[in-house]
Amino acid sequence: MFVNKFAKCFALAFLSVSIFSCSSDDAPKEETPTVNNTKYVASYWLADYTQYILDFNSTDQLMTGEISAKGVGIEQNGSCFPVENTFFALSTDDEGSVSFHLNNAGKLTSGGKLAFESSYAVGYTDDKRMINIGATWDGSSSDYELMIYNPKTVSVDGRKFNDFSVNPANKKVLYWPTGAAVSGDKLFVPVYTKDVTDGTNKVLSSDATVRIYKYPSLDYVTTIKDTRTTAIGMYYTNTGIVQTESGDVYTFSSNARAGGYPVTAATSGVLRIKKGDAKFDPGYFFDLEASILKGKVLAAYPLGGEKVFISYIPNDVDKVSSVYSFLNPNPIFKSAILDLSAKTILAVTGLPDHGGDEFFGLGSLFVENGKAYKSFVTGEQARVYQIDIATGTAKAGALIKEGLYLPSIGKLTY
């Protein structure tokens, strides 16, 4: 079962991890007026991997009743990211990527299309743009393309190729990007190491490694490593690196079978790169396995300030779980809120053990007015949950009727 599901997910990831778009033909002619010229939009991943986009007049609709795509949603390929008051459906199919916005009447409307040949890592910038990193999964080339997407013009502002081979003398051992984050004039790209020599993708154990580039020129600067923990992030999730309100950048290393890694003697933990620096902070390490969590971080989502929401797997559960189990809906993961600066942990209560996040992550948690909203598979059902950031208390919301996930949730104004 796992192999079949992985194959489906890999096919989606290789062609385009679908998320959302929207429309209209099935929408009723008379719509309930929005409040304060605002709408909330969520992509909707059905159990058969068909994806839709839905819009809501308030977050209350995420917390009551059922969420269904029947008669109100429309399919749209592309991994969708809320950026600069748009929803950008980043797709590598022939139809191209599409940017959506609300028109003057509050209807979600598509803009121009833009072609992307490849997308494996994505991140946001300080100037409200988006980084995309394209690569060849089979290792046929070690030259990856870094791009700056401008949502206002639906165009690429800058692009540059860079050699991601670990050693230029052997182009078959590569650094593979797991995310991107910009702080000031620097772009940080966490990577893990893989070997494609025999035609397969062998994930190798590695130290925490980040490639640093100038922003916005995209010129390569250096590669930094830290042996206190292991490879940062996971394949295609973009949830292993977070820039906080202070401008500091934090990285999250799982060292977990659940994340697809061969487990090493190192520990799962969090590293910091201080604002303006191009090195890991030697005085900072948040050891999560030695903490009260006794677990390994799989994904981190910014909550504002210096806090993040994390999904983690207990050490003893990871030992007996299948590799890449973050792709499974099996309820083996737990959640917590970390204050990264203070190194404090707040357990999330009211949220049952839950499944993994498949291949999506960035954009799947929405924060507003001290509350976080995210969908979870908790065994036999999937629901949206509201988490109070101050108390860590979770409240069950709407039942996701035909599917499993809301891969992205955002807010648009008009």
Side-chain angles (χ1 to χ4, degrees), residues 152-174:
K152 286 188 175 180
T153 58
V154 192
S155 63
V156 174
D157 279 355
R159 60 203 317 160
K160 188 161 290 186
F161 283 90
N162 183 243
D163 185 3
F164 272 63
S165 61
V166 174
N167 182 341
N170 179 6
K171 300 285 189 175
K172 293 300 182 180
V173 180
L174 308 170

Side-chain angles (χ1 to χ4, degrees), residues 117-145:
E117 292 185 5
S118 174
S119 176
Y120 283 101
V122 174
Y124 294 120
T125 71
D126 288 340
D127 56 359
K128 298 182 179 180
R129 287 168 170 77
M130 208 168 75
I131 296 294
N132 177 69
I133 302 176
T136 56
W137 173 251
D138 61 1
S140 56
S141 173
S142 61
D143 287 329
Y144 301 168
E145 187 175 20

Side-chain angles (χ1 to χ4, degrees), residues 4-5 17-18 49 52 77 79 131 157 190 206 249 264 268 270 282 285 295 329 352 360 407-408:
N4 290 338
K5 186 165 188 181
V17 179
S18 302
Y49 298 97
Y52 292 83
N77 289 335
S79 298
I131 296 294
D157 279 355
S206 62
V249 170
T264 73
S268 173
V270 186
F285 182 58
F360 64 83
S408 189

Side-chain angles (χ1 to χ4, degrees), residues 10 15 19 24 38 67 72 120 126 134 185-186 218 255 258 271 298-299 336 348 381 400:
F10 174 74
L15 295 174
I19 294 187
S24 64
T38 294
I67 294 177
V72 294
Y120 283 101
D126 288 340
D185 62 352
K186 296 178 182 63
L218 303 179
N255 193 33
L271 298 171
L298 271 295
V348 172
Q381 63 181 15
I400 302 176

Side-chain angles (χ1 to χ4, degrees), residues 8 29 50 62 195 222 231 356 407:
K8 289 179 183 177
K29 292 182 179 179
T50 305
L62 292 172
D195 186 348
T222 189

Side-chain angles (χ1 to χ4, degrees), residues 165-213:
S165 61
V166 174
N167 182 341
N170 179 6
K171 300 285 189 175
K172 293 300 182 180
V173 180
L174 308 170
Y175 287 126
W176 189 257
T178 61
V182 169
S183 180
D185 62 352
K186 296 178 182 63
L187 163 63
F188 302 93
V189 180
V191 295
Y192 67 79
T193 306
K194 71 173 185 176
D195 186 348
V196 298
T197 302
D198 62 1
T200 63
N201 286 277
K202 294 180 180 177
V203 176
L204 306 179
S205 300
S206 62
D207 303 329
T209 306
V210 173
R211 294 173 70 83
I212 301 177
Y213 299 82

